[in-house]
Amino acid sequence: MRKVCKFIKKNLLFTATVIIAAICFFVVSCFSGYRQKKQREENVVIHTFMVIVLMLVLCDTVKFLLLAIDKAWWPRNRDSYSVDRTAIVHTRTDYLKLKISILRSQLVATDKHCDESLNVVYQAIAKDLWLYGKYFLLLMSLVLATYDGLLYYNTRHMQTLFVKNQTRTWGLSKVHTFDNFYTFLESALVSAFEPEVSKTGCKRWLYGDHTIRVGVVRLRQLRRKPNHHLGWGSPEYDEIEYMPRWQLPYERRPYTDKYWKIYAPWLPMYPIRSTKEKIFMNFNHYGYANEFPELIGYATMLASTYNSSMKVIDYLSSMDWLTRKETLAIFIDFTLFNLDSNVFTVVSLTIEVTSFGTLEIAADFNSVKLLIIDHIQSIFIVTILFLYILVFIDFSRSVVIMLWFEPSKIRNMWVRLDLFIIALNILLICLLITHEVLVSSLLAQMENIHIHMYLDFRILARLHMACVVLLGFLICFTTLRLWRVLQFARVFQMITATLYAAWQALANIAMLIFIFLVGYGMANVIINGNYSLSFSTLSKSIVSSMCFAVGCSHHIDPADLLHGGRILGMILYSILAFFIVILMMNLFASTINDFFCNVRKKQDERPIQNQITFLQFLKAEYAPTLRLFGKLPCFKRGYKRRNRTVHENIELILNIKLKGYIPKTTYDALHLKGDGSEENREDTLKHEKYKECVERMHTIAALMKTQFDLLEHMLFRPDVTTSESTASSESYTESGSEESFTYT
């Protein structure tokens, strides 16, 4: 209690600030009324978080900049030297207590801790480990806390419902003709979302009242130019304006823009594209035979009601919107929203018309939570996010300050990696802000949606996927950055030296393995490519061969190698199994092992250096903190006699540590380092250990004697004046070493 009162007296301003802030927070939380609505509570948390970040990032920078300008332009006059009249007079008791603390520190910090260069290195590593360890742990905690496992089950559920046949709906896998395509539209995308209540008992979606369709379904087809043959090249897509039934020339009628645009299916889509579409939707879909661009084609929309949608489908079917010769691909895009879990499912179904007249299908389901605020509802996630931002600001500020004072360190690869991590975080924050702006604009459009309006949630889904990919790269580079922090360990030093010495040999072996894999993949493409999808292209053949070589044969059947004949298949399998797997992989591993053994042998041949380890440095550097934790009840350890006296326990411990080895002379002990044999190295280590034990015994003896002196002084002698204390301390210092030596 006295310590608490003393701390409050010394830090009166800080204590008053904390008390005022606590009272204000309590009053605001009780009487402001923001607990009545959850949205207000979230807004208060977000605004508080933004104010703190703004204060740390911008306000502190401006404040210190103004202080620096003030100090540089108007320097203060130096104060004249004055004697401190309030200095404390130290007595003999204070001196003995100080000596006890010094001797306790000597028990932890021995002579081996006097290597200043090594201490500077360890201190930098400790600072880096503390700063970067916090950042790494908070990043991993944030990723694990915001991960939602329900998204996987939602994606798998949707894939099963739309791809496979169900009781009342068709599946996409059963679409083999254009007539089947229109039947699939009516069954799965129109009737299922507006079922007959008398038959099904459902008013919403047939497979769940909690899921609704946002907007309408968009149909888009890509057509090749008339009289254009595919051949070996890429197809040329048609972008001409047509009349119904694909007739020319196109004529604009006055009623074209009224109600449902009956000419929309025959006109090329998006004559004027927005900036966000050019940035986020300018990509190609990879099909079985061709690549299909996203921003071209002929698009039309279904309606939000059953009768209107059926009129659109009947109109498209009767007007031959899909044709065998010209239609290359059909895309069906729509979005579902789960009310219970607040999950958006962006669906993109693809039907590709091959050169042989068959239809190949593909389904892409992307389940995301577009409202990021829903990820941070719990106070635990909010706390982790707040701490992560603070630690990231601290980490960025340390890197910037280091480069400000030492710009030459930018040549260091680890510093460049730090800058890259900072850039990834800033880019991720910018993408999240852009994501929230687009979500707000799209939700505003939903208020004025009409019967034929299509809301494109794919931009938000792709932006969310970009954030996830950037987060994955951030985790990879953050984990790689730990390699520098862990360089204090001998194992990581050996691995680094091994990779540095063996990278040329490993690169040559990897190049040799790649050449053989390319040749083997080409052979499989030529022999088995027409019969197996795994070997249909060169890239698929190389990947399939590599997967089959390392044992990942879940999607690969060994019979796929036998299409050229059993004998040729056995030869291919023998080349893959014995040459690439056994010979090349073992050569790669043995090369690393040889270089690792050489590096380890070189390190063992070096003379023994009497240096401390990193853990010993931490134990000596943070001894007060460890001593503070040692005083807690949960860390206190009692003395275990084990049915022996104290003297017997001490002798047993000394015999175990020293193993009866005591060098005969100092000359013999010094000359043990001359030979690098294993026996002499062990003898040298024993000698160093013995020397350390002897020094520790001397320190313990001096500590015990000082404690007895302090006890005697406090019991029988009053405190003396400063001069007498100084004289006695000098006499005690001169005779202390001899007394302690004699005591030992």
Side-chain angles (χ1 to χ4, degrees):
M1 190 66 184
R2 292 180 180 178
K3 293 183 178 180
V4 174
C5 296
K6 189 177 181 180
F7 176 80
I8 293 175
K9 290 181 180 179
K10 289 184 177 180
N11 303 274
L12 185 60
L13 185 61
F14 174 77
T15 306
T17 304
V18 172
I19 293 174
I20 293 172
I23 293 174
C24 292
F25 181 78
F26 177 76
V27 172
V28 169
S29 61
C30 293
F31 301 103
S32 63
Y34 72 87
R35 291 182 178 272
Q36 297 176 0
K37 292 184 178 180
K38 186 177 180 180
Q39 186 176 3
R40 289 187 178 181
E41 183 179 354
E42 293 175 353
N43 291 334
V44 169
V45 174
I46 293 174
H47 292 162
T48 305
F49 175 74
M50 293 176 62
V51 167
I52 293 176
V53 172
L54 182 64
M55 180 186 67
L56 293 175
V57 176
L58 184 61
C59 297
D60 283 353
T61 305
V62 175
K63 180 183 72 174
F64 287 114
L65 182 61
L66 294 177
L67 290 176
I69 294 174
D70 179 63
K71 291 288 185 180
W73 287 1
W74 298 282
R76 303 295 186 269
N77 295 325
R78 294 185 178 180
D79 297 334
S80 59
Y81 176 76
S82 60
V83 181
D84 188 6
R85 302 296 181 182
T86 61
I88 300 175
V89 178
H90 295 281
T91 61
R92 175 71 174 175
T93 304
D94 298 331
Y95 165 73
L96 292 175
K97 290 181 179 180
L98 178 61
K99 187 174 181 181
I100 288 174
S101 63
I102 292 173
L103 291 174
R104 284 180 178 176
S105 300
Q106 287 181 3
L107 287 176
V108 180
T110 59
D111 293 339
K112 294 191 298 184
H113 293 76
C114 297
D115 190 353
E116 190 64 26
S117 60
L118 185 63
N119 290 336
V120 171
V121 174
Y122 281 162
Q123 190 174 10
I125 293 176
K127 182 180 178 181
D128 198 7
L129 181 61
W130 168 248
L131 180 63
Y132 200 79
K134 293 187 299 181
Y135 172 74
F136 179 77
L137 292 178
L138 287 173
L139 177 61
M140 296 297 108
S141 302
L142 184 62
V143 171
L144 294 177
T146 55
Y147 175 75
D148 190 0
L150 294 177
L151 300 180
Y152 164 74
Y153 296 100
N154 180 75
T155 302
R156 189 178 66 176
H157 177 65
M158 295 299 174
Q159 188 172 7
T160 303
L161 289 178
F162 286 102
V163 175
K164 298 181 181 179
N165 276 356
Q166 306 301 322
T167 305
R168 296 186 178 93
T169 59
W170 272 46
L172 187 66
S173 59
K174 299 302 178 182
V175 176
H176 302 293
T177 62
F178 290 156
D179 294 335
N180 298 147
F181 168 73
Y182 290 120
T183 306
F184 168 75
L185 287 181
E186 179 185 357
S187 172
L189 301 182
V190 178
S191 300
F193 288 95
E194 195 177 349
E196 297 182 8
V197 181
S198 59
K199 294 183 179 180
T200 61
C202 300
K203 295 183 179 180
R204 294 286 182 88
W205 189 33
L206 190 63
Y207 297 106
D209 294 339
H210 54 276
T211 302
I212 62 174
R213 187 180 62 202
V214 182
V216 299
V217 180
R218 190 191 73 167
L219 306 178
R220 179 174 67 96
Q221 70 160 313
L222 290 174
R223 301 174 61 86
R224 65 179 178 89
K225 289 184 177 181
N227 301 322
H228 170 71
H229 300 280
L230 293 178
W232 291 100
S234 300
E236 296 181 5
Y237 300 104
D238 194 2
E239 290 185 298
I240 303 176
E241 297 178 347
Y242 289 94
M243 295 287 286
R245 294 185 183 275
W246 305 106
Q247 296 178 357
L248 291 174
Y250 170 72
E251 296 180 6
R252 185 177 180 85
R253 303 294 175 85
Y255 55 83
T256 302
D257 297 330
K258 297 292 184 180
Y259 305 108
W260 178 56
K261 301 177 180 180
I262 60 174
Y263 281 79
W266 322 101
L267 302 179
M269 59 181 293
Y270 302 142
I272 300 176
R273 302 182 180 93
S274 62
T275 304
K276 60 182 180 181
E277 290 175 347
K278 294 179 181 178
I279 295 175
F280 298 108
M281 303 304 295
N282 191 13
F283 65 96
N284 293 335
H285 295 274
Y286 294 94
Y288 285 87
N290 299 307
E291 298 178 6
F292 305 105
E294 170 62 29
L295 296 179
I296 64 173
Y298 296 86
T300 184
M301 314 295 174
L302 299 183
S304 58
T305 60
Y306 176 82
N307 294 328
S308 300
S309 297
M310 289 307 301
K311 290 180 180 179
V312 174
I313 293 175
D314 293 339
Y315 176 78
L316 296 178
S317 177
S318 61
M319 292 295 179
D320 296 329
W321 189 60
L322 302 177
T323 56
R324 276 288 179 184
K325 294 182 179 180
E326 288 79 14
T327 302
L328 294 178
I330 309 167
F331 295 91
I332 309 171
D333 300 314
F334 59 96
T335 303
L336 303 177
F337 177 59
N338 191 309
L339 300 175
D340 293 340
S341 59
N342 201 7
V343 173
F344 288 85
T345 305
V346 182
V347 184
S348 180
L349 307 177
T350 306
I351 301 175
E352 181 181 354
V353 183
T354 64
S355 303
F356 304 100
T358 59
L359 302 182
E360 298 290 345
I361 66 166
D364 183 20
F365 299 88
N366 193 2
S367 299
V368 295
K369 285 191 173 182
L370 297 179
L371 300 176
I372 301 179
I373 191 64
D374 295 328
H375 285 285
I376 56 176
Q377 288 182 353
S378 65
I379 189 64
F380 176 70
I381 299 178
V382 172
T383 304
I384 292 178
L385 180 61
F386 179 69
L387 293 177
Y388 173 76
I389 295 294
L390 293 182
V391 172
F392 169 69
I393 293 173
D394 190 17
F395 172 71
S396 304
R397 186 163 51 186
S398 64
V399 175
V400 172
I401 291 175
M402 178 190 63
L403 291 177
W404 178 268
F405 289 101
E406 297 179 283
S408 60
K409 283 192 174 182
I410 199 172
R411 300 176 183 176
N412 191 352
M413 188 57 64
W414 296 111
V415 177
R416 295 179 181 177
L417 184 59
D418 291 339
L419 294 176
F420 186 71
I421 291 173
I422 295 173
L424 279 180
N425 277 279
I426 295 175
L427 182 59
L428 185 60
I429 293 174
C430 294
L431 287 180
L432 291 176
I433 294 174
T434 306
H435 181 274
E436 288 301 307
V437 172
L438 293 179
V439 168
S440 301
S441 63
L442 197 58
L443 293 179
Q445 292 181 10
M446 292 179 62
E447 299 177 358
N448 301 320
I449 188 173
H450 56 79
I451 192 171
H452 287 289
M453 186 174 181
Y454 170 66
L455 297 177
D456 196 353
F457 281 84
R458 295 175 304 159
I459 297 178
L460 300 178
R462 290 187 65 84
L463 193 58
H464 183 273
M465 185 59 63
C467 295
V468 172
V469 171
L470 277 180
L471 184 60
F473 277 107
L474 180 61
I475 294 173
C476 291
F477 286 105
T478 304
T479 308
L480 180 63
R481 176 61 171 74
L482 285 177
W483 193 267
R484 181 192 179 187
V485 180
L486 299 176
Q487 285 298 308
F488 64 87
R490 187 169 179 266
V491 176
F492 286 93
Q493 294 176 2
M494 293 176 62
I495 295 175
T496 303
T498 302
L499 294 177
Y500 182 77
W503 73 270
Q504 293 181 349
L506 296 179
N508 294 331
I509 296 175
M511 184 62 67
L512 184 61
I513 295 175
F514 179 74
I515 291 173
F516 274 99
L517 279 176
V518 171
Y520 186 82
M522 293 178 65
N524 275 322
V525 169
I526 296 171
I527 299 172
N528 304 308
N530 293 334
Y531 307 96
S532 176
L533 183 62
S534 301
F535 303 103
S536 59
T537 61
L538 180 59
S539 59
K540 289 183 179 180
S541 180
I542 294 174
V543 173
S544 300
S545 302
M546 193 64 189
C547 293
F548 192 75
V550 298
C552 300
S553 57
H554 181 67
H555 298 285
I556 304 173
D557 191 359
D560 293 338
L561 298 171
L562 305 178
H563 292 291
R566 293 183 178 272
I567 298 177
L568 186 58
M570 292 301 296
I571 293 174
L572 291 176
Y573 182 79
S574 301
I575 293 174
L576 179 64
F578 293 99
F579 187 78
I580 296 179
V581 179
I582 297 178
L583 182 60
M584 291 298 175
M585 296 299 178
N586 288 334
L587 180 61
F588 193 86
S590 61
T591 303
I592 297 179
N593 185 38
D594 292 340
F595 278 94
F596 184 80
C597 293
N598 292 332
V599 171
R600 184 176 181 181
K601 184 177 179 181
K602 289 180 180 179
Q603 290 191 358
D604 292 339
E605 290 177 354
R606 294 177 181 176
I608 298 178
Q609 297 179 357
N610 192 15
Q611 294 181 348
I612 59 173
T613 61
F614 182 67
L615 296 179
Q616 292 175 344
F617 170 80
L618 293 180
K619 184 178 180 181
E621 186 74 12
Y622 301 100
T625 305
L626 297 177
R627 194 179 299 119
L628 181 63
F629 280 104
K631 293 180 180 180
L632 297 177
C634 57
F635 291 101
K636 287 185 177 180
R637 296 183 300 175
Y639 180 74
K640 297 181 181 180
R641 296 182 57 185
R642 302 184 186 278
N643 297 324
R644 292 188 292 267
T645 63
V646 177
H647 179 70
E648 291 175 351
N649 286 326
I650 292 175
E651 287 186 349
L652 181 61
I653 293 173
L654 290 177
N655 291 331
I656 292 175
K657 289 186 176 181
L658 301 179
K659 294 182 180 180
Y661 177 79
I662 300 177
K664 296 180 180 180
T665 60
T666 308
Y667 178 80
D668 296 335
L670 293 176
H671 278 267
L672 287 174
K673 299 182 181 180
D675 190 3
S677 61
E678 189 68 24
E679 296 180 358
N680 289 335
R681 291 178 63 86
E682 293 180 359
D683 294 341
T684 307
L685 292 175
K686 290 180 180 179
H687 172 70
E688 296 293 340
K689 193 173 184 180
Y690 168 76
K691 182 179 177 182
E692 183 180 353
C693 290
V694 172
E695 292 176 353
R696 184 176 177 83
M697 290 170 61
H698 280 278
T699 307
I700 293 174
L703 178 61
M704 294 175 63
K705 185 177 185 307
T706 308
Q707 289 175 346
F708 280 119
D709 291 341
L710 178 61
L711 181 61
E712 180 184 1
H713 183 78
M714 294 177 67
L715 291 176
F716 304 109
R717 301 177 186 177
D719 287 332
V720 295
T721 60
T722 308
S723 59
E724 293 176 353
S725 175
T726 306
S728 61
S729 64
E730 291 177 355
S731 62
Y732 187 85
T733 306
E734 293 176 357
S735 60
S737 59
E738 297 180 358
E739 291 176 358
S740 62
F741 181 76
T742 306
Y743 178 83
T744 321

